């Protein structure tokens, strides 16, 4: 591999790996650095709904990324399966929202944005989702919402990168600082020494703010803990995703049911707690009473990269030429990843961007 690299990508989650993949496909020589194992943090821990939980509550900046990514995912998943033999399992189930306080706003948003979302009577919901609990009075339904099996997605991304001759993948290689020369960022300092490059892309999720602090920059990205639980049921137990009172149930193709999630500001602590377990089980049994007799086969926590309004930072840091950001996606990293990584690639390579990059630019948003 050529040295120095053209690009160093810091962070081996979905955002970092997909950024690396798109840059490598465009011919860039690059090194991807991950402090742990690739895809082992937030990208692995999330639910993988290919939509913001309440898309109408977000700004136009988040909506633009979400719409582009939702249209991209099905073909991308097929291509990844063909290229790597790992199926990310983009599973179109639709999503029912139950007893929303802002149902009217949701329907108005869908009409404005041209998305299929409609009110549906509860008798029809129970007919379509027989395992749904009683006591819910109203529902809206979006039929084309998918979920991606995120542990499979990150496995596929890693396999794709490992097969590329112009990519060097270094796991268990923490970055401790940046190389600055002549007013430019020229690489990073790792536990194994310096890695030099023409450009550095920071995609380190919840850890991105900590890393930029080494340059005296304040990036408003902080860890936000989320806990989830997993049940194993029959393959056809739950035909659709359902969401009520801030909690959701996601069916995988093999009958696993994910229930999530909490929202906790607890620093970098990822310890699962008994309190969250009981709260999630209560939500699970309210949504799907049959889960009362099912075994919890998994309980874990991950750290989301919280950011103001959930608007990610995508683009070059003006005060530090050569340093690029793709981070701060909060609850929507997997949803927004395809568009975010494509936008980053367009900007870094000087191509026409897929959408207006202004809302995501780091300029004026860092302290």
């Amino acid at each position: 591999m050529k040295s120095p690299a053209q690009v160093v990508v810091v962070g081996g989650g979905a955002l970092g790996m997909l950024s690396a993949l798109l840059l490598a496909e465009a011919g860039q020589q690059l090194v991807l650095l991950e402090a742990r194992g690739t895809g082992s943090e937030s990208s692995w821990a999330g639910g993988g709904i290919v939509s913001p939980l309440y898309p109408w509550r977000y700004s136009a900046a988040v909506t633009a990324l979400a719409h582009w990514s939702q249209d991209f995912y099905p073909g991308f998943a097929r291509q990844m399966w063909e290229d790597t033999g790992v199926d990310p399992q983009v599973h179109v189930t639709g999503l029912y929202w139950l007893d929303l306080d802002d149902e009217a706003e949701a329907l108005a948003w869908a009409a404005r944005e041209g998305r299929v979302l409609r009110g549906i009577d509860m008798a029809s919901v129970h007919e379509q989702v027989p395992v749904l609990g009683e006591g819910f009075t109203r529902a809206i339904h979006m039929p084309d919402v998918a979920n991606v099996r995120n542990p499979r997605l990150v496995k596929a991304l890693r396999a794709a990168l490992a097969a590329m001759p112009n990519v060097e993948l270094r796991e268990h290689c923490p970055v401790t600082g940046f190389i600055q020369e002549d007013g430019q960022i020229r690489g990073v300092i790792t536990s194994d020494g310096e890695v030099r490059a023409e450009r550095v892309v920071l995609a380190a999720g919840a850890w991105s703010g900590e890393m930029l602090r080494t340059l005296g920059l304040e990036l408003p990205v902080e860890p936000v803990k989320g806990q989830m639980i997993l049940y194993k049921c029959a393959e056809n137990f739950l035909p659709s995703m359902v969401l009520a009172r801030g909690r959701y149930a996601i069916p995988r193709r093999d009958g696993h049911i994910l229930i999530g999630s909490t929202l906790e500001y607890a620093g970098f602590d990822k310890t699962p707690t008994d309190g969250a377990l009981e709260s999630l089980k209560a939500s699970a049994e309210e949504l799907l009473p049959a889960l009362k007799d099912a075994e919890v086969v998994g309980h874990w926590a991950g750290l989301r990269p919280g950011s103001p309004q959930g608007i990610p930072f995508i683009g070059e840091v003006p005060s530090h030429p050569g340093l690029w950001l793709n981070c701060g996606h909060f609850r929507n990293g997997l949803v927004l990843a395809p568009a975010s990584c494509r936008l980053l690639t367009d900007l870094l390579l000087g191509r026409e961007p897929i959408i207006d990059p202004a809302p995501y630019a780091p300029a004026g948003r860092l302290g």
Side-chain angles (χ1 to χ4, degrees):
M1 175 158 185
K2 292 178 185 175
S3 183
Q6 290 171 289
V7 182
V8 167
V9 177
V10 180
L15 271 296
M17 285 197 286
L18 185 53
S19 296
L21 183 64
L22 296 181
L23 287 165
E25 287 177 344
Q28 297 288 294
Q29 294 277 339
L30 64 90
V31 179
L32 185 142
L33 303 170
E34 165 53 42
R36 300 162 190 84
T38 52
S40 61
E41 293 290 349
S42 180
S43 302
W44 179 91
I49 301 175
V50 186
S51 170
L53 287 184
Y54 305 97
W56 53 90
R57 296 178 187 173
Y58 283 93
S59 68
V62 172
T63 298
L65 291 171
H67 284 182
W68 196 94
S69 294
Q70 285 166 325
D71 294 340
F72 178 83
Y73 253 115
F76 172 61
R78 284 192 299 272
Q79 190 63 50
M80 292 299 289
W81 191 7
E82 289 175 16
D83 291 348
T84 69
V86 180
D87 182 5
Q89 293 189 10
V90 173
H91 185 27
V92 180
T93 64
L95 173 57
Y96 291 94
W97 287 267
L98 308 174
D99 290 354
L100 284 170
D101 292 333
D102 55 353
E103 185 177 300
E105 289 90 335
L107 294 169
W109 170 88
R112 248 189 353 262
E113 296 290 336
R115 307 309 270 194
V116 179
L117 178 68
R118 63 188 179 92
I120 186 166
D121 66 88
M122 286 308 303
S124 298
V125 179
H126 282 287
E127 190 176 306
Q128 295 298 317
V129 189
V131 291
L132 184 67
E134 300 294 335
F136 299 105
T137 59
R138 300 185 324 281
I140 58 174
H141 180 232
M142 188 177 280
D144 58 352
V145 182
N147 66 77
V148 59
R149 195 156 183 173
N150 36 303
R152 304 275 177 93
L153 174 65
V154 293
K155 186 178 178 183
L157 284 167
R158 190 194 186 288
L161 288 170
M164 301 192 79
N166 54 330
V167 175
E168 182 181 349
L169 186 58
R170 294 194 200 172
E171 296 176 282
H172 308 288
C173 186
V175 170
T176 57
F178 297 88
I179 300 169
Q180 299 184 74
E181 289 177 354
D182 304 321
Q184 306 261 331
I185 297 298
R186 294 296 190 189
V188 295
I189 304 162
T190 79
S191 57
D192 295 332
E194 292 187 348
V195 181
R196 292 182 166 267
E198 296 167 17
R199 297 183 178 99
V200 173
V201 174
L202 181 61
W207 288 264
S208 298
E210 296 284 301
M211 298 186 70
L212 280 194
R213 216 162 275 136
T214 66
L215 292 171
L217 296 171
E218 285 297 322
L219 173 74
V221 172
E222 61 178 327
V224 183
K225 183 176 178 179
Q227 299 188 51
M228 302 187 70
I229 58 176
L230 182 70
Y231 294 89
K232 181 68 168 74
C233 302
E235 286 185 22
N236 59 354
F237 171 76
L238 181 63
S240 174
M241 294 181 284
V242 291
L243 190 159
R245 299 177 189 129
R247 296 281 170 83
Y248 51 76
I250 305 172
R252 301 301 199 206
R253 286 180 183 162
D254 63 2
H256 279 98
I257 308 294
L258 282 165
I259 303 292
S261 85
T262 64
L263 198 66
E264 307 166 54
Y265 290 82
F268 287 94
D269 175 24
K270 291 193 301 177
T271 310
T273 62
D274 291 341
L277 176 62
E278 293 310 311
S279 173
L280 289 165
K281 284 172 70 175
S283 295
E285 292 166 20
E286 181 183 31
L287 275 171
L288 308 167
L291 292 181
K292 188 173 180 64
D293 300 318
E295 180 189 359
V296 175
V297 296
H299 173 210
W300 63 86
L303 298 176
R304 310 176 185 89
S307 60
Q309 298 180 291
I311 299 173
F313 296 81
I314 306 170
E316 191 171 23
V317 178
S319 62
H320 291 72
L323 177 59
W324 293 72
L325 305 183
N326 191 7
C327 54
H329 293 72
F330 204 176
R331 305 188 77 169
N332 297 311
L334 287 161
V335 187
L336 307 182
S340 298
C341 297
R342 173 63 186 273
L343 178 60
L344 173 90
T345 301
D346 288 344
L347 294 172
L348 192 144
L349 298 180
R351 303 188 311 206
E352 182 70 23
I354 50 164
I355 56 174
D356 178 9
Y360 322 101
R365 300 176 66 202
L366 304 184

